[in-house]
Amino acid sequence: MPPIIGITATLKEDVDAVAERPLGRFVRADLDYVEGVAGAGGAPVVLPPAGDERAAEAVIQSLDGLLLSGGSDLDPHYYGEEPMPELGVTLPERDAFEMALVGLALRRGIPVFGICRGMQVLNVALGGTLYQDLPSQWERDLLKHRQDTPKWQPTHEVRVRDGSYIAEVMGRESVKVNSYHHQGVRALAEGLVVTGRSSDGVVEAVEAVDLSERWLLGVQWHAEAMRGAGPQQERLFEAHVSAAERHALRRAAA
Ligand code: MN
């Protein structure tokens, strides 16, 4: 049986474009994540950002892997800061549900793959902090990390650390990626290592110190939107699904 991979979703106001009237709030997950997981041999399930800690616990029990998707800014109170003026939109329901999910996934040893916001959520859940807004807080020259071009277009380079897990998975030491973020990892959480940076020094990839002990991987770019650009991005999804499969087998044997 394919491992079940939970994909976190967001909430989105929808408007009837013709009548220009609000239709309400909808649960939304980009199909690219769903296809990325399915294409790698996993069984994707979309997780609406609703429910308390107990609901999150029930949900996590049904999962073999957790994929934290991209999206809105994380409320800085989760890393002990007040909001600065440049902070973007935050969604309290989503933040609360995802932070509960990650905490439970970490405790249960469920493989976690974080993309963009997802990498940031993973870092904060483990005790790290974020730049609320790179353009106003980064002290050196900064590349353009909020591209205006389509999501599948790579715009900046990422150098990955020699000998890291992600270098092994992608089979290369540098990769051109898309970039849709104004936040970034600031203080790295204990238990994670930085394995990829853009030329300005911004953290673009992290992984667990020992992936055989616990499988954690985060990328700051939208890998799900670049699956057509070459096999490297698809391999990230395959690595996550394989880790989830191993976790499911271990769990069944226990
Ligand atoms: Mn970037």
Side-chain angles (χ1 to χ4, degrees), residues 26 28 38 69 84 96 100 130 132-133 164 175 180-181 191 243 250:
F26 288 74
R28 198 174 78 160
S69 63
M84 55 184 286
L130 304 179
Q132 289 190 40
D133 180 60
S164 62
V175 61
Y180 281 92
H181 58 110
R250 270 199 309 274

Coordinates of all heavy atoms in Angstrom, one line a residue, residues 26 28 38 69 84 96 100 130 132-133 164 175 180-181 191 243 250:
F26 N -12.8 29.0 1.5 CA -12.6 27.6 1.0 C -11.3 27.0 1.5 O -10.3 27.8 1.7 CB -12.7 27.6 -0.5 CG -14.1 27.8 -1.0 CD1 -14.7 29.0 -1.0 CD2 -14.8 26.7 -1.6 CE1 -16.0 29.2 -1.5 CE2 -16.1 26.9 -2.0 CZ -16.7 28.2 -2.0
R28 N -8.0 25.2 0.5 CA -7.3 25.2 -0.8 C -5.8 24.6 -0.6 O -5.1 25.0 0.2 CB -7.2 26.6 -1.4 CG -6.9 26.5 -2.9 CD -7.0 27.9 -3.5 NE -5.8 28.7 -3.2 CZ -5.4 29.7 -3.9 NH1 -6.1 30.1 -4.9 NH2 -4.3 30.4 -3.6
A38 N 1.6 12.2 -5.4 CA 1.1 11.1 -6.1 C 2.1 10.5 -7.1 O 2.3 9.3 -7.3 CB -0.2 11.5 -6.8
S69 N 3.0 22.7 3.3 CA 3.0 23.5 2.1 C 3.4 24.9 2.3 O 3.5 25.4 3.5 CB 1.7 23.3 1.4 OG 0.7 23.9 2.3
M84 N 6.3 43.1 13.0 CA 6.9 44.3 12.5 C 6.0 44.8 11.3 O 5.2 44.0 10.8 CB 8.4 44.2 12.1 CG 8.7 43.1 11.2 SD 10.5 42.9 10.9 CE 10.8 44.3 9.9
A96 N -2.0 27.6 14.0 CA -2.3 26.8 15.2 C -2.3 25.3 14.8 O -1.7 24.4 15.5 CB -3.6 27.2 15.9
A100 N 0.6 22.4 15.8 CA 0.2 21.2 16.5 C 0.6 20.0 15.7 O 1.1 19.0 16.3 CB -1.3 21.2 16.8
L130 N 12.7 33.3 12.7 CA 12.6 33.7 11.3 C 13.0 35.2 11.2 O 12.8 35.9 12.1 CB 11.2 33.5 10.7 CG 10.6 32.1 10.8 CD1 9.2 32.1 10.2 CD2 11.5 31.0 10.1
Q132 N 11.3 38.2 9.8 CA 9.9 38.5 9.5 C 9.8 39.1 8.1 O 8.8 39.0 7.4 CB 9.3 39.5 10.5 CG 9.0 38.9 11.8 CD 8.2 39.9 12.7 OE1 7.3 40.5 12.2 NE2 8.6 39.9 14.0
D133 N 10.9 39.8 7.7 CA 10.9 40.4 6.3 C 12.4 40.6 5.9 O 13.1 41.5 6.4 CB 10.2 41.8 6.4 CG 10.2 42.4 5.0 OD1 9.7 41.9 4.0 OD2 10.8 43.6 4.9
S164 N 25.8 16.4 1.9 CA 24.5 16.5 2.6 C 23.5 15.5 1.9 O 23.8 15.0 0.8 CB 24.0 17.9 2.5 OG 23.7 18.3 1.2
V175 N 21.8 24.1 -7.8 CA 20.5 24.0 -8.5 C 19.9 25.4 -8.7 O 20.0 26.2 -7.8 CB 19.6 23.0 -7.8 CG1 19.3 23.5 -6.4 CG2 18.3 22.7 -8.5
Y180 N 9.8 32.6 -4.0 CA 8.6 33.3 -3.6 C 8.5 33.6 -2.1 O 7.5 33.2 -1.5 CB 7.4 32.6 -4.1 CG 7.1 32.7 -5.6 CD1 7.6 31.8 -6.5 CD2 6.4 33.8 -6.1 CE1 7.4 32.0 -7.8 CE2 6.2 33.9 -7.4 CZ 6.7 33.0 -8.3 OH 6.5 33.2 -9.6
H181 N 9.5 34.2 -1.6 CA 9.5 34.4 -0.1 C 10.1 35.8 0.3 O 10.9 36.3 -0.4 CB 10.2 33.3 0.6 CG 11.7 33.1 0.2 ND1 12.7 33.5 1.1 CD2 12.3 32.7 -0.9 CE1 13.9 33.3 0.5 NE2 13.6 32.8 -0.7
G191 N 19.0 20.5 16.0 CA 18.6 19.3 15.4 C 18.5 19.5 13.9 O 18.3 18.5 13.2
A243 N 10.8 7.7 2.6 CA 11.0 7.7 4.1 C 9.7 7.4 4.8 O 9.7 6.7 5.8 CB 11.5 9.1 4.5
R250 N 8.1 0.3 9.8 CA 8.6 0.2 11.1 C 7.5 0.2 12.1 O 7.4 -0.5 13.1 CB 9.5 1.4 11.4 CG 11.0 1.1 11.1 CD 11.9 2.1 11.8 NE 11.5 3.5 11.7 CZ 11.9 4.3 10.6 NH1 12.7 3.8 9.7 NH2 11.5 5.5 10.6

